[in-house]
Amino acid sequence: MALVGLLESLMTAKLVDDITETPSNKTREACGQGMANILTGIFGGMGGCAVVGQTMMNVKVAGGRTRLSTLSTGAFLLILIVSFGESVGRIPVAALAAVMIVVSAATFAGTVWRHAR
């Protein structure tokens, strides 16, 4: 499971590199992801990985280009969940699935097909 998360993080980094035309250090990304997941496990949490949909929306829709955009997105989600957790929990899973389908289609439409020759 951890390997899948690592691969998803590296794929997300590659997509962002292609869209923003800026390089990133994949080794640093993998080390940071691993350390974060180890610390999360130590504190009883569940490890995670970069979320392709959230990242694509941050870059394509919101125009995020720096690490500050990622930090502000994470901080906003944390505040949203802590402040409105009960209301957020009432969002139907079908609606969330529909949002992810739209985000996936937008991600594949411009980036992946260009590389699939």
Side-chain angles (χ1 to χ4, degrees):
M1 189 64 152
L3 182 59
V4 172
L6 177 62
L7 292 175
E8 184 177 356
S9 294
L10 295 177
M11 180 186 76
T12 302
K14 174 74 172 120
L15 285 171
V16 171
D17 288 352
D18 290 348
I19 291 170
T20 60
E21 297 177 356
T22 57
S24 66
N25 186 337
K26 307 301 185 288
T27 303
R28 186 175 175 186
E29 176 80 24
C31 288
Q33 185 71 50
M35 287 187 291
N37 283 342
I38 289 169
L39 283 173
T40 299
I42 289 172
F43 289 105
M46 184 172 68
C49 61
V51 181
V52 177
Q54 174 187 333
T55 303
M56 289 299 107
M57 294 307 287
N58 188 16
V59 172
K60 286 186 170 183
V61 176
R65 293 288 187 261
T66 65
R67 297 196 193 294
L68 181 61
S69 67
T70 304
L71 178 68
S72 60
T73 301
F76 175 75
L77 285 174
L78 179 63
I79 292 168
L80 181 73
I81 290 170
V82 169
S83 300
F84 302 106
E86 197 170 307
S87 298
V88 172
R90 291 186 190 140
I91 298 172
V93 175
L96 297 174
V99 169
M100 286 309 298
I101 289 170
V102 170
V103 170
S104 298
T107 301
F108 282 107
T111 308
V112 175
W113 300 123
R114 185 174 354 130
H115 296 290
R117 293 183 186 179

